[in-house]
Amino acid sequence: MIVFEAFIIIFLLVLIFWLGSHLYSTIFYVPYVNASNQAIRDALKLGELEKDQLFLDLGSGRGDALIIANKEFFAKAIGYEISPLPYLLSKIKVFLSGDRSIDILRKDFQRAKNEIKKADLIYLYLFEKVLEKNERFLFDNLSAKGKIVTLAFKFPNRKPIKIKATKNLGVETKIYLYQK
């Protein structure tokens, strides 16, 4: 009986953490939504990510884009994730991938000014409202060589230099590539 009660308490604590994390991100930032690995690969190919380049994922979720950028494109990968549960999941996932060179920071990416200035490619899978809110900050800090690739949503005040169709989680969508 004690084992069952302990299990129920642990289950409830995990459930509360999970719900709290989702509510926190939904109310203060954006809800976590994952992307398919193929859509991520298509985005990184469109951005022409190369070996040893600096790749940033702003709103890195479970860390899938970071792992793909590092393992398949051999890029230096840094992720910013503010929501507690996706941050924790991404740390576990990166640890299990065996790669210790991927950095994931639990911070608002508004604090990534220095990394944005150095980035070769920035990956964003964020709602259009969030892109619009951060558009000026991102492009003001993007270097002349830096590129931004967005999945499914586009910046409302910028014209992409390239657009590519892809399939994300079974749905046809687009990837948008931007430069300063």
Side-chain angles (χ1 to χ4, degrees):
M1 188 70 169
I2 292 175
V3 173
F4 179 73
E5 289 172 350
F7 174 77
I8 294 297
I9 290 170
I10 291 170
F11 174 77
L12 290 173
L13 288 173
V14 169
L15 182 64
I16 290 168
F17 178 72
W18 180 75
L19 287 171
S21 178
H22 280 289
L23 281 172
Y24 173 77
S25 8
T26 302
I27 293 168
F28 296 107
Y29 298 97
V30 293
Y32 161 73
V33 181
N34 68 314
S36 71
N37 287 347
Q38 189 55 53
I40 294 168
R41 282 185 194 95
D42 289 344
L44 302 188
K45 286 177 188 171
L46 182 65
E48 299 173 341
L49 185 61
E50 297 177 3
K51 182 180 180 184
D52 297 325
Q53 288 188 328
L54 179 57
F55 171 77
L56 294 184
D57 184 355
L58 305 180
S60 58
R62 298 184 316 191
D64 296 331
L66 299 169
I67 294 168
I68 291 170
N70 185 268
K71 295 259 186 209
E72 297 179 23
F73 293 81
F74 307 103
K76 167 68 177 149
I78 301 173
Y80 280 76
E81 179 55 56
I82 194 74
S83 183
L85 183 62
Y87 169 78
L88 183 61
L89 291 174
S90 65
K91 291 294 256 187
I92 293 168
K93 196 169 188 177
V94 165
F95 177 79
L96 294 175
S97 79
D99 196 321
R100 305 298 180 259
S101 66
I102 297 171
D103 291 328
I104 304 169
L105 306 166
R106 187 168 177 273
K107 292 183 183 178
D108 185 334
F109 65 73
Q110 289 279 335
R111 296 182 182 181
K113 208 180 251 192
N114 291 332
E115 286 83 2
I116 290 169
K117 289 178 181 183
K118 297 175 193 171
D120 296 291
L121 184 64
I122 298 171
Y123 170 80
L124 303 168
Y125 184 27
L126 301 169
F127 292 135
E128 202 162 294
K129 177 181 87 171
V130 179
L131 293 176
E132 181 177 18
K133 179 182 169 191
N134 292 286
E135 184 172 355
R136 183 175 178 161
F137 167 76
L138 291 166
F139 284 97
D140 282 353
N141 290 293
L142 188 66
S143 73
K145 70 177 175 82
K147 296 181 234 173
I148 297 176
V149 65
T150 65
L151 177 60
F153 303 98
K154 59 185 177 178
F155 289 104
N157 303 309
R158 298 272 174 170
K159 185 174 176 163
I161 59 171
K162 287 184 188 175
I163 300 173
K164 178 180 174 38
T166 191
K167 197 172 243 185
N168 184 32
L169 305 172
V171 177
E172 293 291 328
T173 192
K174 291 189 170 107
I175 304 165
Y176 303 92
L177 181 66
Y178 300 88
Q179 250 183 325
K180 204 168 196 173

